[in-house]
Amino acid sequence: MEGVDRTGGTAADEARVREAAETERASGRPAGKAADGSSASGGNAPGGKVRDGYAAAGRSEAASPSSASLSAPERAAAARASELAAASARQGGVPAAEPKPERKRGVAAVFAGLLLAMFVSTLSETVTATALPTIVGDLGGVDHMQWVTTAYILASTIMMPIYGKLGDLFGRKYLFIVALSVFIVGSATCGLAPSMDGLIAGRAVEGLGGGGLIILAQATIADIIPPRQRGKYMGVMGSVFAVSTVVGPLLGGWFVQVTGWRWLFAFNIPLALLAIGAVAFFLTNPERRQDRPPVDVGGMMAMAVSVSSLVLATAWGGTLFPWLSWQILGLFALFLVAAVVFVLVERRAAEPIIPMLLFKNRNFVVCTVTGMFIMLGMMGTVSYLPTYFQIVDGLAPEQAGLMTFPMMAGVLITAVGTGFLATKTGRYKWMPIASCAVAAVGFVLLSRLTPDTSLLVTGVFLFVLGFGIGLGQQILVLIVQNEFPHAIVGTATAANNFFRQIGSTLGASLVGALFTSRLAADLAAQLPRTDNISMNRITPEVIDHLSAPARDIITTAYSDALVPIFLYVVPLLVVGFVLMLTLKENPLAKSVNHTGHASDDSL
């Protein structure tokens, strides 16, 4: 981007060095001297003085003979400053300047390109919602229906921290292009899929690319906009999510009725190509690094095994296998073992994809857990309500998609509104607290739906839920970005979104598994006494041609299987509400090159 220079020491770097130097002076060592007495400056490379200063800061706490005289809080603060300084040095520096006022047009062009990339990613998560009954009816396999959504989310979840880390290390422009290209390949595979297995494989490939688009967009905004001004941009990004979530089901329903469901995947391709053009034209090339930083392959593999095992266990439990079967228990055991291995690998890795120092920050932890709970409930809702409207209320696919509009209208209003309020006032703690409370009310209301509930009342319930989700969704990302130095903002953003996506994955798979098992049990008990209809062939078109008794049995079974699950999310949001009460409202930084707030918060 214009006005961004990644070639040397910055004011933020110098501030961190000064912080470390003050700690050294408190411990009795002359500022600027390392443990061995050598000068902290050195090297002729640009920024060499700063980087050697980092090294001195990193050694000072451990090597100082008088460090024991410091109090425990002072030692903790010094260690935290050293950790952040070392992490910042490894990431390759931070931008040296912010965009000047005369370059606002360039910033606007970059922002437009980022929004397009985000739109492509979020659209792909929702475009299949209304088309799903028709797709599975055509290809066969209602019992695998949830994997059309889960495969995409699982793949994108695994890739999120990888894209975030690589973006910090090597720059984001070419990663954008690679991610969009992989996404195109996945979309083409889905459009040509001859079976459910092929469709699920294509969705997984789409996720491998789509997982980087939101992360890279959010991190790139952090490259050019300071946190105090970033709220309104994050709000607009949240509105893109809301719009795409409404447009996706509508487009899915339109394609099913007019052109056939395969074209809804082909529709993604020109949008992704346009996004590639915008990224290639508007984003400047990253600085070429002289060194070759190590890539955390071990961490990536352990993370992939851990996340995949967890998702498979929750998706297959109660459907393909009983919850207490050796297969499910084995998957949970594999998840725990891989998670432990992941933590051990990350503690030793030179460039961990999820640094453990992030979890020493209270605000990061509470924002990440709360965001995970919110997304768990939201994805379970968005994924299955369009199908509910088609089966239970007899709506056409595009009408079912339109029924999600009240929810997304609520998200749009509060996401944009809270973003501008955070920018104007600098106050934000109340937003995620209110988000958990209002969203919990929304889920309680949805748990009271019946086949006789009017669409107007259902729309009001969905608006309340969306209003609550929008209050905190993007603000949580802003809080996390404000907590850490800019040099690790991509890694921190990716880690936060990684766990939120785990919530999305668990929401889609858990709700899908519970819904499918409950529906199968109800239909198995009722359908043999009527028309002996195969569950794998239940579509809105098939239901339209059934006798009234059979149709009533199916619609009642759909409602009874899905609606009570919404109440299961409420306790999670209550926990999120309590966690948000402990949030520390640190001031939003007014410059891109800020030092973060991690050193003044201990767990």
Side-chain angles (χ1 to χ4, degrees), residues 303-337:
M303 177 194 63
V305 173
S306 179
V307 174
S308 300
S309 302
L310 177 62
V311 174
L312 288 173
T314 54
W316 288 348
T319 54
L320 292 182
F321 307 102
W323 283 105
L324 296 180
S325 66
W326 69 266
Q327 292 92 340
I328 301 302
L329 294 178
L331 285 171
F332 278 122
L334 181 59
F335 157 68
L336 292 175
V337 171

Side-chain angles (χ1 to χ4, degrees), residues 567-588:
L567 201 59
Y568 300 169
V569 183
V570 175
L572 299 179
L573 293 175
V574 172
V575 174
F577 177 86
V578 175
L579 288 176
M580 284 294 101
L581 293 176
T582 69
L583 184 74
K584 184 175 182 180
E585 191 174 50
N586 290 316
L588 294 175

Side-chain angles (χ1 to χ4, degrees), residues 19-280:
E19 181 180 1
E22 290 172 1
T23 302
E24 290 175 343
R25 284 196 295 271
S27 63
R29 182 183 307 141
K33 294 293 183 180
D36 59 2
S38 59
S39 173
S41 62
N44 298 321
K49 180 177 180 180
V50 172
R51 292 178 184 278
D52 289 344
Y54 288 154
R59 294 191 299 266
S60 63
E61 179 65 21
S64 174
S66 58
S67 62
S69 64
L70 298 177
S71 65
E74 288 173 335
R75 288 197 300 273
R80 190 69 53 79
S82 299
E83 288 174 336
L84 291 176
S88 181
R90 291 197 302 269
Q91 303 300 329
V94 296
E98 300 170 33
K100 299 296 186 291
E102 65 268 21
R103 293 177 176 175
K104 286 183 178 178
R105 181 176 300 176
V107 173
V110 169
F111 188 56
L114 299 179
L115 291 181
L116 181 59
M118 285 190 65
F119 181 76
V120 169
S121 177
T122 55
L123 185 70
S124 65
E125 293 191 29
T126 59
V127 73
T128 60
T130 48
L132 205 52
T134 302
I135 294 174
V136 298
D138 186 14
L139 298 179
V142 172
D143 51 339
H144 295 106
M145 181 171 64
Q146 77 266 28
W147 277 102
V148 178
T149 301
T150 303
Y152 179 91
I153 299 177
L154 172 60
S156 64
T157 301
I158 293 172
M159 293 302 299
M160 274 186 174
I162 297 174
Y163 280 115
K165 184 65 177 186
L166 294 180
D168 277 345
L169 292 177
F170 302 106
R172 314 190 206 282
K173 176 177 179 177
Y174 297 126
L175 277 179
F176 252 128
I177 296 175
V178 169
L180 285 164
S181 300
V182 173
F183 180 85
I184 289 174
V185 173
S187 295
T189 302
C190 291
L192 300 173
S195 64
M196 279 293 289
D197 291 339
L199 179 64
I200 292 171
R203 291 288 286 170
V205 175
E206 271 191 328
L208 293 177
L213 302 184
I214 295 178
I215 292 302
L216 294 173
Q218 291 176 339
T220 301
I221 286 298
D223 289 339
I224 59 176
I225 306 296
R228 181 58 187 267
Q229 300 299 319
R230 199 179 301 155
K232 55 188 178 183
Y233 290 89
M234 300 301 288
V236 174
M237 284 185 164
S239 70
V240 168
F241 176 83
V243 170
S244 63
T245 306
V246 173
V247 171
L250 287 175
L251 283 175
W254 184 85
F255 278 117
V256 165
Q257 290 200 323
V258 177
T259 64
W261 63 265
R262 295 183 185 274
W263 284 94
L264 66 88
F265 296 106
F267 176 77
N268 288 333
I269 296 176
L271 288 180
L273 289 173
L274 186 60
I276 288 177
V279 168

Side-chain angles (χ1 to χ4, degrees), residues 496-570:
N496 174 259
N497 278 272
F498 168 71
F499 289 102
R500 291 172 68 176
Q501 277 295 97
I502 287 180
S504 297
T505 307
L506 291 177
S509 59
L510 278 175
V511 173
L514 290 172
F515 168 63
T516 303
S517 61
R518 290 164 63 99
L519 179 63
D522 287 348
L523 294 182
Q526 298 293 329
L527 286 180
R529 286 182 268 163
T530 56
D531 298 274
N532 197 26
I533 303 167
S534 171
M535 178 181 164
N536 284 339
R537 292 294 176 182
I538 294 178
T539 66
E541 292 77 11
V542 171
I543 292 177
D544 288 341
H545 294 87
L546 294 178
S547 62
R551 186 163 56 246
D552 290 342
I553 288 173
I554 294 175
T555 57
T556 301
Y558 257 77
S559 180
D560 292 344
L562 181 63
V563 170
I565 298 175
F566 296 141
L567 201 59
Y568 300 169
V569 183
V570 175

